[in-house]
Amino acid sequence: GNSGLRAYGKKCADDLDAVVTLVRGDLPKLTRKVLAPLIVMDVHARDVIIKMGEDGVSSPTDFDWLAQLRYYPSESGIKVRMVSTELDYGYEYMGMQGRLVVTPLTDRCYRTLMGALQLDLGGAPEGPAGTGKTETTKDLGKAMAIQCVVMNCSDGLDYIAMAKFFKGLAASGSWACFDEFNRIDLEVLSVIAQQILTIQRASTQGLKRFLFEGTDLPLDASCAVFITMNPGYAGRTELPDNLKA
């Protein structure tokens, strides 16, 4: 119940203090690199548990608990859950990577993106430059252990180059994050919308192989396409309606 949660919150805080004490000491470079992201994640976990204790959360069905990114073992491997979404863990090894500091806004982004992934759709964070749209998408990929490939878009991209990118994406099951997507020309954007739709439809139908731009490809259902946009800047196009859909 709630008293157990409060006690665990205190234990988390004590554990975190122990790790911080460790970091202050003399450590090998690699160990320090391991502990840095661990502290970032532990701080968030501690804050969430203490807040849930203060808010009187006492049941696993309370929304405050369900709204967190959670991992559950199952017969078919680890499942990642958040609200009503349940997705497979990716098991992609990425080496020592730094992690993003999780704020309430990051959590809201995660909930939205996870909901989209459950529906075999992608996400489109939008906002001013430097607000962490790309980093949030990448960090969700790290949490899910799925490789996220970031590509900076320019008006020089055509649909043939994008088709090659999508082929690799569908076959490998990675995520792609297209940065400043609305810099691509409008004519190319409408073709890209059709390409993304082809992959999404095949994924929704649960196909193992599908035909894409005249090529027979294997399909890994974990693949997803994310785009980030800076609205209102010079040289940006409005997204066509078929892409918004």
Side-chain angles (χ1 to χ4, degrees):
N2 188 255
S3 56
L5 197 62
R6 283 170 181 267
Y8 187 63
K10 189 175 182 317
K11 184 183 182 304
C12 283
D14 293 342
D15 288 350
L16 188 62
D17 289 342
V19 178
V20 170
T21 311
L22 199 64
V23 168
R24 284 183 180 152
D26 190 25
L27 285 175
K29 230 176 186 176
L30 190 63
T31 313
R32 192 175 291 278
K33 211 172 177 185
V34 170
L35 289 175
L38 196 66
I39 288 174
V40 170
M41 291 187 286
D42 278 356
V43 165
H44 177 243
R46 179 203 61 186
D47 292 349
V48 165
I49 288 165
I50 289 173
K51 183 159 191 333
M52 286 199 296
E54 288 168 355
D55 292 349
V57 173
S58 59
S59 158
T61 54
D62 283 346
F63 180 76
D64 283 353
W65 167 245
L66 293 177
Q68 304 305 322
L69 195 66
R70 314 178 314 282
Y71 301 88
Y72 292 92
S74 74
E75 300 265 319
S76 57
I78 295 173
K79 301 287 183 189
V80 184
R81 291 183 194 161
M82 196 174 209
V83 196
S84 59
T85 305
E86 180 178 287
L87 298 168
D88 290 327
Y89 189 69
Y91 296 102
E92 179 81 35
Y93 176 69
M94 297 178 208
M96 275 316 309
Q97 300 252 349
R99 292 298 294 268
L100 200 63
V101 174
V102 182
T103 64
L105 181 62
T106 321
D107 264 336
R108 278 176 59 192
C109 280
Y110 284 178
R111 283 196 282 276
T112 309
L113 295 176
M114 289 287 279
L117 289 167
Q118 179 78 51
L119 301 169
D120 292 313
L121 300 172
E126 184 177 329
T131 47
K133 303 179 294 294
T134 309
E135 285 304 319
T136 303
T137 307
K138 276 168 65 182
D139 204 68
L140 182 61
K142 287 176 194 171
M144 298 266 302
I146 293 174
Q147 186 187 16
C148 183
V149 183
V150 178
M151 182 175 183
N152 283 81
C153 299
S154 70
D155 47 14
L157 274 177
D158 61 2
Y159 75 96
I160 300 167
M162 293 299 278
K164 285 179 184 171
F165 204 95
F166 287 137
K167 282 176 185 176
L169 210 63
S172 67
S174 305
W175 289 0
C177 181
F178 295 104
D179 244 1
E180 301 187 39
F181 192 68
N182 47 347
R183 280 171 62 179
I184 300 172
D185 288 337
L186 191 65
E187 299 81 26
V188 181
L189 281 177
S190 55
V191 181
I192 291 172
Q194 288 304 313
Q195 291 172 339
I196 293 174
L197 192 64
T198 307
I199 296 173
Q200 284 178 348
R201 277 190 178 149
S203 192
T204 308
Q205 289 166 14
L207 301 179
K208 293 287 176 224
R209 298 191 73 83
F210 75 121
L211 203 63
F212 182 80
E213 298 278 329
T215 313
D216 182 46
L217 287 174
L219 175 65
D220 188 322
S222 69
C223 69
V225 177
F226 297 89
I227 61 175
T228 69
M229 295 182 293
N230 300 336
Y233 281 71
R236 306 290 195 270
T237 42
E238 269 293 302
L239 292 188
D241 287 338
N242 63 339
L243 191 58
K244 285 178 183 173

Short mmCIF file of all heavy atoms in Angstrom, two decimals, residues 162-188:
data_model
loop_
_atom_site.label_atom_id
_atom_site.label_comp_id
_atom_site.label_asym_id
_atom_site.label_seq_id
_atom_site.Cartn_x
_atom_site.Cartn_y
_atom_site.Cartn_z
N MET A 162 14.83 9.15 -50.06
CA MET A 162 14.00 8.81 -48.91
C MET A 162 13.52 7.35 -48.98
O MET A 162 13.43 6.67 -47.96
CB MET A 162 12.79 9.75 -48.82
CG MET A 162 13.16 11.18 -48.50
SD MET A 162 13.98 11.36 -46.91
CE MET A 162 12.60 11.38 -45.82
N ALA A 163 13.24 6.88 -50.21
CA ALA A 163 12.80 5.48 -50.38
C ALA A 163 13.88 4.52 -49.91
O ALA A 163 13.60 3.53 -49.23
CB ALA A 163 12.45 5.22 -51.84
N LYS A 164 15.15 4.82 -50.24
CA LYS A 164 16.27 3.97 -49.79
C LYS A 164 16.31 3.93 -48.27
O LYS A 164 16.53 2.88 -47.67
CB LYS A 164 17.60 4.53 -50.34
CG LYS A 164 17.82 4.26 -51.81
CD LYS A 164 19.16 4.86 -52.24
CE LYS A 164 19.35 4.70 -53.75
NZ LYS A 164 20.51 5.46 -54.23
N PHE A 165 16.12 5.09 -47.68
CA PHE A 165 16.15 5.20 -46.21
C PHE A 165 15.03 4.35 -45.60
O PHE A 165 15.26 3.59 -44.65
CB PHE A 165 15.96 6.67 -45.84
CG PHE A 165 16.52 7.02 -44.49
CD1 PHE A 165 17.79 7.54 -44.36
CD2 PHE A 165 15.77 6.83 -43.35
CE1 PHE A 165 18.32 7.86 -43.12
CE2 PHE A 165 16.28 7.15 -42.10
CZ PHE A 165 17.57 7.66 -41.99
N PHE A 166 13.83 4.48 -46.16
CA PHE A 166 12.68 3.74 -45.63
C PHE A 166 12.84 2.23 -45.80
O PHE A 166 12.38 1.46 -44.96
CB PHE A 166 11.38 4.20 -46.31
CG PHE A 166 10.92 5.56 -45.87
CD1 PHE A 166 10.46 6.49 -46.79
CD2 PHE A 166 10.93 5.91 -44.53
CE1 PHE A 166 10.04 7.75 -46.39
CE2 PHE A 166 10.51 7.17 -44.11
CZ PHE A 166 10.06 8.08 -45.04
N LYS A 167 13.48 1.81 -46.89
CA LYS A 167 13.70 0.37 -47.10
C LYS A 167 14.55 -0.23 -45.99
O LYS A 167 14.22 -1.27 -45.42
CB LYS A 167 14.40 0.14 -48.47
CG LYS A 167 13.47 0.25 -49.66
CD LYS A 167 14.25 0.10 -50.95
CE LYS A 167 13.34 0.34 -52.17
NZ LYS A 167 14.09 0.30 -53.43
N GLY A 168 15.64 0.48 -45.66
CA GLY A 168 16.52 0.01 -44.58
C GLY A 168 15.80 0.02 -43.24
O GLY A 168 15.97 -0.89 -42.41
N LEU A 169 14.96 1.03 -43.07
CA LEU A 169 14.22 1.19 -41.82
C LEU A 169 13.24 0.03 -41.59
O LEU A 169 13.20 -0.58 -40.52
CB LEU A 169 13.43 2.49 -41.93
CG LEU A 169 13.14 3.28 -40.68
CD1 LEU A 169 14.45 3.73 -40.07
CD2 LEU A 169 12.27 4.46 -41.01
N ALA A 170 12.47 -0.27 -42.64
CA ALA A 170 11.46 -1.33 -42.54
C ALA A 170 12.11 -2.69 -42.32
O ALA A 170 11.61 -3.52 -41.56
CB ALA A 170 10.62 -1.35 -43.81
N ALA A 171 13.25 -2.92 -42.97
CA ALA A 171 13.91 -4.23 -42.87
C ALA A 171 14.63 -4.42 -41.54
O ALA A 171 14.71 -5.53 -41.02
CB ALA A 171 14.90 -4.39 -44.02
N SER A 172 15.13 -3.30 -40.96
CA SER A 172 15.92 -3.44 -39.72
C SER A 172 15.09 -3.25 -38.45
O SER A 172 15.51 -3.64 -37.36
CB SER A 172 17.06 -2.42 -39.72
OG SER A 172 16.54 -1.11 -39.63
N GLY A 173 13.93 -2.61 -38.57
CA GLY A 173 13.09 -2.38 -37.39
C GLY A 173 13.56 -1.21 -36.54
O GLY A 173 13.17 -1.07 -35.39
N SER A 174 14.43 -0.35 -37.11
CA SER A 174 14.91 0.82 -36.36
C SER A 174 13.89 1.95 -36.41
O SER A 174 12.92 1.89 -37.17
CB SER A 174 16.22 1.33 -36.96
OG SER A 174 17.16 0.29 -37.01
N TRP A 175 14.14 2.98 -35.62
CA TRP A 175 13.35 4.20 -35.71
C TRP A 175 14.15 5.22 -36.50
O TRP A 175 15.37 5.21 -36.48
CB TRP A 175 13.10 4.79 -34.32
CG TRP A 175 12.16 4.02 -33.47
CD1 TRP A 175 11.52 2.86 -33.79
CD2 TRP A 175 11.77 4.34 -32.13
NE1 TRP A 175 10.74 2.45 -32.74
CE2 TRP A 175 10.88 3.33 -31.71
CE3 TRP A 175 12.09 5.38 -31.26
CZ2 TRP A 175 10.30 3.33 -30.45
CZ3 TRP A 175 11.51 5.38 -30.00
CH2 TRP A 175 10.62 4.37 -29.60
N ALA A 176 13.43 6.11 -37.19
CA ALA A 176 14.10 7.23 -37.85
C ALA A 176 13.49 8.52 -37.32
O ALA A 176 12.28 8.61 -37.14
CB ALA A 176 13.90 7.17 -39.35
N CYS A 177 14.35 9.49 -37.05
CA CYS A 177 13.85 10.80 -36.63
C CYS A 177 14.34 11.81 -37.67
O CYS A 177 15.54 12.05 -37.80
CB CYS A 177 14.39 11.14 -35.25
SG CYS A 177 13.79 12.73 -34.67
N PHE A 178 13.41 12.35 -38.44
CA PHE A 178 13.76 13.31 -39.48
C PHE A 178 13.69 14.72 -38.90
O PHE A 178 12.62 15.22 -38.60
CB PHE A 178 12.83 13.17 -40.69
CG PHE A 178 12.97 11.85 -41.38
CD1 PHE A 178 12.02 10.85 -41.22
CD2 PHE A 178 14.07 11.59 -42.19
CE1 PHE A 178 12.17 9.62 -41.86
CE2 PHE A 178 14.22 10.37 -42.83
CZ PHE A 178 13.27 9.39 -42.65
N ASP A 179 14.86 15.32 -38.76
CA ASP A 179 14.96 16.65 -38.16
C ASP A 179 14.58 17.73 -39.16
O ASP A 179 14.99 17.66 -40.32
CB ASP A 179 16.41 16.88 -37.71
CG ASP A 179 16.50 17.03 -36.22
OD1 ASP A 179 15.46 16.93 -35.56
OD2 ASP A 179 17.61 17.25 -35.71
N GLU A 180 13.84 18.73 -38.71
CA GLU A 180 13.43 19.86 -39.56
C GLU A 180 12.83 19.35 -40.87
O GLU A 180 13.23 19.74 -41.96
CB GLU A 180 14.61 20.80 -39.80
CG GLU A 180 15.15 21.36 -38.49
CD GLU A 180 16.21 22.42 -38.70
OE1 GLU A 180 16.04 23.22 -39.62
OE2 GLU A 180 17.18 22.44 -37.94
N PHE A 181 11.86 18.47 -40.70
CA PHE A 181 11.23 17.77 -41.81
C PHE A 181 10.57 18.72 -42.81
O PHE A 181 10.53 18.45 -44.01
CB PHE A 181 10.18 16.81 -41.22
CG PHE A 181 9.64 15.81 -42.19
CD1 PHE A 181 10.44 14.80 -42.69
CD2 PHE A 181 8.31 15.85 -42.59
CE1 PHE A 181 9.93 13.85 -43.57
CE2 PHE A 181 7.80 14.90 -43.46
CZ PHE A 181 8.61 13.91 -43.94
N ASN A 182 10.06 19.84 -42.29
CA ASN A 182 9.33 20.74 -43.20
C ASN A 182 10.25 21.62 -44.05
O ASN A 182 9.80 22.56 -44.67
CB ASN A 182 8.30 21.59 -42.45
CG ASN A 182 8.87 22.21 -41.19
OD1 ASN A 182 9.95 21.84 -40.73
ND2 ASN A 182 8.15 23.16 -40.62
N ARG A 183 11.57 21.28 -44.08
CA ARG A 183 12.45 21.96 -45.04
C ARG A 183 12.42 21.26 -46.40
O ARG A 183 12.88 21.80 -47.39
CB ARG A 183 13.88 21.97 -44.50
CG ARG A 183 14.09 23.06 -43.47
CD ARG A 183 15.42 22.94 -42.78
NE ARG A 183 16.56 23.07 -43.69
CZ ARG A 183 17.82 23.02 -43.29
NH1 ARG A 183 18.11 22.83 -42.03
NH2 ARG A 183 18.80 23.14 -44.16
N ILE A 184 11.90 20.03 -46.43
CA ILE A 184 11.82 19.28 -47.70
C ILE A 184 10.75 19.93 -48.59
O ILE A 184 9.73 20.43 -48.09
CB ILE A 184 11.46 17.80 -47.41
CG1 ILE A 184 12.52 17.16 -46.52
CG2 ILE A 184 11.34 17.00 -48.70
CD1 ILE A 184 12.17 15.76 -46.02
N ASP A 185 10.98 19.89 -49.90
CA ASP A 185 10.02 20.50 -50.84
C ASP A 185 8.64 19.83 -50.75
O ASP A 185 8.55 18.63 -50.52
CB ASP A 185 10.54 20.37 -52.28
CG ASP A 185 11.71 21.31 -52.54
OD1 ASP A 185 11.81 22.30 -51.80
OD2 ASP A 185 12.52 21.02 -53.44
N LEU A 186 7.61 20.62 -50.98
CA LEU A 186 6.23 20.16 -50.86
C LEU A 186 5.93 18.97 -51.78
O LEU A 186 5.26 18.02 -51.40
CB LEU A 186 5.29 21.32 -51.16
CG LEU A 186 3.81 21.09 -50.82
CD1 LEU A 186 3.63 20.92 -49.32
CD2 LEU A 186 2.96 22.25 -51.31
N GLU A 187 6.48 19.04 -53.01
CA GLU A 187 6.21 17.96 -53.98
C GLU A 187 6.77 16.63 -53.45
O GLU A 187 6.17 15.58 -53.65
CB GLU A 187 6.86 18.26 -55.35
CG GLU A 187 6.37 19.51 -56.03
CD GLU A 187 7.05 20.77 -55.50
OE1 GLU A 187 8.18 20.67 -55.00
OE2 GLU A 187 6.41 21.84 -55.56
N VAL A 188 7.93 16.69 -52.82
CA VAL A 188 8.57 15.47 -52.29
C VAL A 188 7.81 14.98 -51.06
O VAL A 188 7.62 13.78 -50.87
CB VAL A 188 10.05 15.75 -51.93
CG1 VAL A 188 10.73 14.50 -51.39
CG2 VAL A 188 10.81 16.27 -53.14
#
